Amino acid sequence: MAKIAYILLCHKNPDAIIAQAGQLTAAGDCMSIHFDARASSADYSRIRSALDGNPNVTFARKRIKCGWGEWSLVKASLNAIEAAVEAFPRATHFYMVSGDCMAIKTAEYAHRLLDENDKDYIESHDFFESDWIKTGMKEDRLIYRHYFNERNSQWWFYAACNLQKRLGLERDIPHDIQVMIGSQWWCLRRRTIERILDFLRARRDVTRFFSTTWIPDETFFQTLVRHLVPEREIENRTLTFLMFSDYGMPVTFYNDHYDLLLAQDFLFARKISPEALQLKERLGQLYAAKGVEFRISNEGRNLHAFLTGRGRVGRRFAQRFWETESTLGPDRELLLIVCKKWHVAKRLVEQIRRETGIPGVEYLFNEERAALPDLGGLESTLAKRTRHRRALVRMLFDHFGTDRLILCLDPADIDLVKDFCSDKAKTRLLEIECRYSDDYLIGHAQRVRLAGEHTPQATLEKLLPTIRNDLAHEAERIRDAGFARHWLLRETEQPLANAAKLAEFLSVPEDRAAKILEIGYLFSD
């Protein structure tokens, strides 16, 4: 059966460290602690005195002064790992955690997962080919030597790097290794850890190389595991749930995140707020619990992006400079149908095609597989379609050989609606207002991965008002825009009233519009 040795790197909050060690070792697992040498000696003494009597806790023999982005973090990890390997010969797995991490599953669940999957869990992507690094230096992290810390010695950091560039002091990466990059929160099997330690004793050149790279905790273990372990034995993911904000900062979890965290397909979460005392208490009790069933929905990242994005409504698709003066053509008529329930709009467009012959394309800016003709590759991706939207629609007019064209848009695409309505073409807008049952909203949340099949009912009840308000807000933005040629078709309206509006929108007689709306299941879900 799996037995985990937790490798804890920490530098503050001794009470939390003592509690964390007690919680994780209570279920039979163990822990090796490295407490930053820069931190208070009194705090370290307090931790030692509280935990020295716990046989499942050990400490790194040598404490290192750690700095963000430095080799010192890797060295501290290795010191703690070596202590754990010696102190806990029965440990089967080694799991890197920080003082901000807490378990979001039981030990029972974690042990079963590791027993059933004989793999190393570590995120590792090709350093040069992947887009894991979003901003800042990339290749320079490796090919130049870094002796200063960017955060506290910024001038020296960049001066040393620029000097090496001017003098041509680039260095080679060890020829037989492929540098990988990923999250520093990993879980490795004992035999992998032993292979790493043996490799480092034999290959001092690799240690020397990484010791002067920048942010090696994102590359060192990630590279060595890929070098030493067959790919089939590696799960390219971390078991620690963490998210980053739009600004690249770690998302912090609070008391009301308990249900969300337990529903994620991870064993730990980072970062837990120091002020979230209730959350800490509940998660602390969870690890040693028995017989707990977890309903995994894994919607955390999408849900966070959805909820935090509601307050940042801006222009997402600004015109490119070459489109500023472009137009669809003043003699053309673009008929926009805007509806949140895509199936309703599609049914209506199909009826309009049959009765009037006006061609239409449904949700071409939302569905990757929208029914589009070959337009020379411009239609190949959603990003291309949106970026070159006017050129795309001009080509559709030409392809169908028509001066009248129907497009379906989602109400969330207000910027696209505004852009087309500002064109010199005659643009008409038909908005379809539907009723949204709770069942429909739940299905919508699952389709866009705001919720999963096993999302708790209590979470759904909290989420539904937010989704309902969001849909209402999308409709309000369209109406507040004050479009000149705007008709509103309502599910709750009488058929004759809807037929009159549709007739005006399409410029057809009312009896033909009524025939289009004869479809009895237009609004059915």
Side-chain angles (χ1 to χ4, degrees):
M1 181 177 176
K3 182 182 180 72
I4 305 171
Y6 291 103
I7 308 301
L8 174 63
L9 298 191
C10 48
H11 65 281
K12 60 180 180 180
N13 204 342
D15 290 335
I17 293 169
I18 294 167
Q20 186 180 23
Q23 291 157 2
L24 295 179
T25 59
D29 290 315
C30 43
M31 177 177 285
S32 179
I33 299 174
H34 179 278
F35 192 71
D36 195 337
R38 296 183 191 275
S40 164
S41 296
D43 286 347
Y44 181 59
S45 297
R46 185 175 175 186
I47 295 169
R48 289 296 301 249
S49 62
L51 297 175
D52 271 344
N54 187 333
N56 287 333
V57 174
T58 191
F59 292 84
R61 287 197 184 88
K62 184 177 181 181
R63 295 167 60 204
I64 304 293
K65 291 183 179 180
C66 297
W68 186 90
E70 296 179 5
W71 169 253
S72 54
L73 287 174
V74 177
K75 182 58 178 171
S77 303
L78 289 171
N79 288 354
I81 288 169
E82 289 171 348
V85 168
E86 181 178 341
F88 310 121
R90 296 180 60 193
T92 61
H93 294 77
F94 294 74
Y95 194 127
M96 177 70 71
V97 294
S98 76
D100 295 322
C101 297
M102 290 202 73
I104 55 174
K105 297 291 185 293
T106 60
E108 196 173 61
Y109 181 101
H111 295 159
R112 184 168 61 248
L113 173 71
L114 298 178
D115 283 336
E116 293 174 354
N117 299 277
D118 185 22
K119 291 187 176 183
D120 295 309
Y121 290 85
I122 184 167
E123 188 179 39
S124 56
H125 308 280
D126 186 279
F127 184 92
F128 296 100
E129 298 298 326
S130 72
D131 62 348
W132 202 85
I133 298 174
K134 303 298 183 184
T135 59
M137 62 171 58
K138 187 171 183 178
E139 186 180 21
D140 289 0
R141 289 191 187 190
L142 305 179
I143 64 174
Y144 297 115
R145 296 167 179 81
H146 299 278
Y147 301 105
F148 303 98
N149 190 299
E150 183 190 26
R151 291 196 168 183
N152 53 35
S153 302
Q154 188 177 70
W155 188 91
W156 286 106
F157 179 88
Y158 287 105
C161 189
N162 292 331
L163 179 62
Q164 291 177 75
K165 288 182 181 180
R166 286 198 298 272
L167 297 177
L169 298 178
E170 294 182 11
R171 60 172 172 176
D172 293 328
I173 297 169
H175 70 280
D176 60 334
I177 66 171
Q178 177 184 6
V179 179
M180 310 296 287
I181 190 167
S183 169
Q184 63 269 51
W185 311 111
W186 41 255
C187 178
L188 304 178
R189 297 166 298 175
R190 185 181 192 93
R191 63 176 175 269
T192 300
I193 288 291
E194 290 174 343
R195 285 177 186 173
I196 290 173
L197 296 178
D198 289 342
F199 178 82
L200 294 177
R201 282 189 282 268
R203 293 290 303 274
R204 301 293 183 184
D205 61 312
V206 173
T207 302
R208 284 195 301 272
F209 170 76
F210 278 103
S211 66
T212 51
T213 60
W214 182 234
I215 320 182
D217 55 320
E218 293 180 350
T219 57
F220 181 77
F221 291 101
Q222 295 78 358
T223 299
L224 295 193
V225 171
R226 283 284 177 180
H227 184 74
L228 298 169
V229 178
E231 185 175 0
R232 66 180 179 275
E233 297 180 21
I234 300 173
E235 191 77 21
N236 191 357
R237 57 164 293 199
T238 174
L239 291 175
T240 298
F241 180 60
L242 67 162
M243 298 189 295
F244 291 90
S245 70
D246 294 348
Y247 310 104
M249 299 300 292
V251 171
T252 301
F253 300 109
Y254 296 92
N255 289 334
D256 58 349
H257 286 124
Y258 180 80
D259 291 329
L260 181 144
L261 292 177
L262 266 59
Q264 307 314 305
D265 188 20
F266 297 87
L267 301 184
F268 277 73
R270 184 179 189 274
K271 292 182 162 184
I272 307 298
S273 169
E275 288 78 32
L277 301 180
Q278 182 184 5
L279 178 62
K280 283 176 170 285
E281 182 180 356
R282 296 178 75 184
L283 293 178
Q285 296 171 354
L286 175 70
Y287 191 70
K290 300 287 186 181
V292 180
E293 292 187 11
F294 296 93
R295 299 175 68 84
I296 306 299
S297 56
N298 220 30
E299 78 284 8
R301 290 192 172 93
N302 289 333
L303 183 58
H304 177 267
F306 170 74
L307 294 176
T308 57
R310 297 306 90 194
R312 295 192 294 276
V313 178
R315 188 172 178 82
R316 293 179 292 163
F317 306 116
Q319 288 183 346
R320 271 51 182 178
F321 69 91
W322 59 82
E323 293 189 326
T324 302
E325 298 300 326
S326 66
T327 178
L328 302 178
D331 298 326
R332 286 171 166 169
E333 192 171 33
L334 183 62
L335 305 173
L336 301 179
I337 296 180
V338 177
C339 183
K340 196 66 183 182
K341 290 187 176 181
W342 295 1
H343 59 278
V344 173
K346 289 179 179 181
R347 289 169 186 163
L348 181 61
V349 170
E350 181 59 30
Q351 288 294 102
I352 293 173
R353 273 199 213 99
R354 290 177 181 173
E355 293 297 325
T356 68
I358 303 172
V361 182
E362 303 150 352
Y363 295 100
L364 71 165
F365 299 109
N366 304 100
E367 292 185 309
E368 194 77 53
R369 297 187 179 181
L372 286 167
D374 184 354
L375 301 174
L378 191 60
E379 80 291 348
S380 59
T381 66
L382 289 175
K384 282 187 178 181
R385 296 175 206 168
T386 303
R387 187 162 60 246
H388 307 293
R389 52 193 173 278
R390 292 196 184 189
L392 177 71
V393 175
R394 285 198 304 272
M395 294 173 76
L396 287 172
F397 273 111
D398 293 338
H399 172 81
F400 289 114
T402 183
D403 288 331
R404 304 190 82 199
L405 178 67
I406 299 172
L407 297 183
C408 292
L409 299 179
D410 190 280
D413 298 330
I414 182 66
D415 299 298
L416 292 176
V417 177
K418 287 180 178 178
D419 189 31
F420 286 126
C421 286
S422 67
D423 192 85
K424 293 179 182 178
K426 302 178 182 72
T427 305
R428 294 166 170 246
L429 176 64
L430 178 68
E431 179 189 352
I432 304 178
E433 181 184 271
C434 302
R435 290 180 293 193
Y436 304 109
S437 66
D438 286 351
D439 287 342
Y440 173 83
L441 293 180
I442 291 172
H444 172 72
Q446 292 174 341
R447 284 189 293 275
V448 298
R449 293 188 61 81
L450 294 178
E453 182 181 351
H454 302 302
T455 298
Q457 186 62 32
T459 302
L460 291 174
E461 290 173 358
K462 293 178 182 178
L463 183 59
L464 288 182
T466 304
I467 297 176
R468 194 179 294 279
N469 290 338
D470 191 64
L471 299 186
H473 176 61
E474 290 178 355
E476 287 172 7
R477 292 174 67 199
I478 290 175
R479 292 164 201 175
D480 289 345
F483 298 115
R485 294 180 287 271
H486 178 197
W487 289 267
L488 181 60
L489 211 66
R490 287 191 169 99
E491 182 177 357
T492 56
E493 190 69 85
Q494 292 297 319
L496 288 178
N498 278 336
K501 294 175 183 176
L502 183 62
E504 292 180 10
F505 171 69
L506 295 174
S507 299
V508 299
E510 283 194 27
D511 60 340
R512 181 171 289 187
K515 190 172 182 180
I516 292 171
L517 293 176
E518 280 181 356
I519 177 172
Y521 55 89
L522 177 62
F523 292 101
S524 300
D525 292 333

